[in-house]
Amino acid sequence: MFTEDEIDRIGRAMADRTLPKAEWTHAAHFAAAVWLLAEPGRDAPAEMPGLIRAYNAATGVANTDTEGYHETITQASLRAAAAALQGRTRSEALAGLLAGPCGRSGWLLAHWTKPRLFSVAARRAWVEPDLAPLPFK
């Protein structure tokens, strides 16, 4: 389980582009999402795309139509994290996310077919699920 301090460290280090690339795991993506969503005065859905693109660039990952930043995955993950935060601390929310379906890197494939999720359109902009709606908004 991630502590509140670990969530702060990951979120801040991702945002200031000092998080070691090896630490930018599936769990760290959700830790950063929970961190940003809980930060007062922040607009996570608007800010996270730029933060991830800048982090990717700083760690040598190109943001293209085939790699790097992915809008649909980012926004779906933020929706999952926001739902998990309801009435919970950040560490409780993150633990719940990682213990459930979202804890698996392929969790979105229950909602999108691979061709749709990994399309250029879904990488560039939000694309609605084509298999099943997300259980949160």
Side-chain angles (χ1 to χ4, degrees):
M1 185 161 150
F2 286 76
T3 66
E4 296 292 318
D5 287 343
E6 289 170 317
I7 292 168
D8 281 337
R9 182 189 67 78
I10 290 167
R12 287 190 176 106
M14 182 277 298
D16 69 17
R17 298 173 300 285
T18 60
L19 184 72
K21 186 176 177 182
E23 290 186 41
W24 190 229
T25 63
H26 180 70
H29 278 75
F30 272 118
V34 167
W35 170 78
L36 189 58
L37 285 160
E39 284 289 290
R42 304 294 294 260
D43 181 352
E47 292 180 50
M48 188 61 92
L51 291 173
I52 292 175
R53 284 184 185 106
Y55 177 79
N56 285 346
T59 59
V61 176
N63 294 299
T64 69
D65 285 344
T66 58
E67 64 181 311
Y69 182 74
H70 192 296
E71 178 72 5
T72 300
I73 291 174
T74 297
Q75 296 303 328
S77 298
L78 284 168
R79 291 177 187 191
L85 273 167
Q86 298 303 308
R88 295 182 184 99
T89 66
R90 296 176 309 167
S91 59
E92 290 168 342
L94 184 55
L97 282 166
L98 297 177
C102 295
R104 296 185 312 274
S105 61
W107 73 277
L108 293 168
L109 295 175
H111 304 279
W112 283 268
T113 57
K114 261 188 175 180
R116 185 168 175 96
L117 183 61
F118 295 106
S119 68
V120 172
R123 185 173 285 282
R124 291 181 181 176
W126 173 258
V127 172
E128 291 293 331
D130 60 340
L131 291 177
L134 293 173
F136 34 76
K137 290 286 177 189

